[in-house]
Amino acid sequence: MGGPDAAQRRRPTRRVGSGAASIVPSGGGEPARLGPGDIAVLRGPDPYTVADAPGTTPHALIGPGGVCTTLHGRPLSQDMVLSVRTWGNAADRATSVLVGTYLLDGEISRRLLDAVPPLLTVPADAGTRPLPDLLDAEIAQEEPGQRVVLDRLLDLLLIAVLRAWFARPGADAPAWYRAMGDPVVGVALRLLQHDPGYLWTVASLASRAGVSRAGLARRFTELVGEPPMAYLTGRRLALAADLLRESDATVEAVARKIGYSTPFAFSAAFKRVRGVSPQEYRGGPPGDRLDLPERQRRLPGGRPSERLVP
């Protein structure tokens, strides 16, 4: 079956369980051919076509929330239901594809997503097993707490795929990602990421990392591409941008959460980097102002938003 997926802000993960499939980006990129166990991640939000072969004519449209129609708008959901969480042309067809979709929209997530291409694929032997098999086994039954199990398995699968992608020869991983493996800088990065609101100094980071202040500053800048405090400022303001759009927290509460002593200092830093004040950023275009729960309510069958934290 071929079908373009036009869902906004979707980052689908597709794994071929049996048979073979082709994924054709709408922007004219090279089609990706997937065999059994292969996994593809599509960054979105551009549409794409999944088919048995690149030249197959699409005949189903899958939109936000997994709503499936013909190209003329006739609903197909009931016609194509095969079993629990399973649908398609027929149960005995040669090809099956496991699909999981995230709704990701934020500055923190974007720092990782912008580092990967719109379409990436990893082979079945890339270290992702046995996660797809566990998903396959779990998805066909109904058990208490199953939604949580499926969500966490999908989280683990996506993390495993991204690890495999960045670990391949010649991978152009972001500097901060590569630096996470450094025994000194990795410690400092994790401290800054896990507690950005703490009143960090280079000296306090160096003490926790077990090195001198000058040694940490030099090594951090060399591996990450910017000094520790510049990295911290960028992360704080990215987190602030997400909080302003996704919550009702006041500017003062946001400032306090990310480590600024006053809302005035926070507003000045935010405007210097973003070009607008926190209030102006929060009051941006109506389509961008919806918080994630509200956007979820507008997508039939949507799941809670997840966030990848670089």
Side-chain angles (χ1 to χ4, degrees):
M1 181 187 75
D5 189 328
Q8 289 288 324
R9 299 184 178 91
R10 291 161 69 91
R11 274 83 180 183
T13 302
R14 293 184 178 271
R15 179 254 191 178
V16 176
S18 60
S22 291
I23 298 180
V24 184
S26 64
E30 285 295 317
R33 186 68 172 168
L34 303 179
D38 294 347
I39 299 174
V41 175
L42 295 105
R43 195 178 66 196
D46 293 336
Y48 58 92
T49 299
V50 180
D52 55 351
T56 299
T57 301
H59 65 268
L61 179 69
I62 307 169
V67 176
C68 184
T69 68
T70 66
L71 300 186
H72 302 291
R74 184 175 69 83
L76 287 173
S77 298
Q78 295 304 314
D79 295 353
M80 302 184 74
V81 170
L82 299 177
S83 64
V84 177
R85 298 184 185 85
T86 305
W87 56 275
N89 300 55
D92 59 353
R93 291 298 175 94
T95 300
S96 65
V97 180
L98 176 66
V99 182
T101 301
Y102 283 81
L103 294 175
L104 295 170
D105 186 25
E107 296 300 314
I108 294 292
S109 299
R110 189 170 294 121
R111 299 182 76 178
L112 178 60
L113 293 171
D114 285 351
V116 300
L119 168 62
L120 67 87
T121 62
V122 298
D125 60 353
T128 57
R129 292 187 180 274
L131 295 170
D133 295 330
L134 291 173
L135 272 167
D136 270 343
E138 186 72 22
I139 208 166
Q141 56 185 339
E142 290 282 7
E143 296 290 345
Q146 187 180 46
R147 185 64 173 268
V148 176
V149 173
L150 290 171
D151 286 354
R152 298 294 77 77
L153 285 174
L154 185 60
D155 291 344
L156 291 172
L157 179 59
L158 183 57
I159 291 169
V161 168
L162 292 176
R163 277 181 173 176
W165 175 257
F166 287 132
R168 77 194 196 287
D172 187 19
W176 58 261
Y177 183 93
R178 296 192 301 269
M180 291 294 290
D182 185 82
V184 172
V185 177
V187 172
L189 279 170
R190 282 186 282 274
L191 290 169
L192 296 177
Q193 290 175 0
H194 294 165
D195 193 4
Y198 185 77
L199 298 180
W200 293 109
T201 64
V202 177
S204 63
L205 283 171
S207 176
R208 295 285 293 273
V211 295
S212 69
R213 180 184 182 280
L216 174 64
R218 180 177 60 254
R219 190 167 183 82
F220 194 104
T221 303
E222 176 185 320
L223 295 183
V224 180
E226 59 183 340
M229 294 300 100
Y231 175 87
L232 176 60
T233 296
R235 184 167 182 83
R236 282 174 168 173
L237 295 180
L239 177 60
D242 287 346
L243 290 171
L244 289 167
R245 287 284 174 87
E246 298 171 13
S247 75
D248 295 327
T250 64
V251 171
E252 182 178 3
V254 171
R256 190 165 53 247
K257 184 176 181 64
I258 64 170
Y260 281 85
S261 57
T262 69
F264 305 105
F266 162 58
S267 295
F270 193 92
K271 187 167 186 177
R272 184 170 62 250
V273 171
R274 298 275 169 175
V276 294
S277 69
Q279 293 92 336
E280 291 170 325
Y281 182 84
R282 168 173 274 169
D288 294 335
R289 289 177 56 194
L290 295 175
D291 60 26
L292 289 176
E294 176 63 20
R295 285 201 295 268
Q296 275 298 121
R297 285 192 288 272
R298 296 192 178 192
L299 293 178
R303 54 165 285 184
S305 171
E306 300 293 341
R307 176 178 296 153
L308 300 176
V309 182

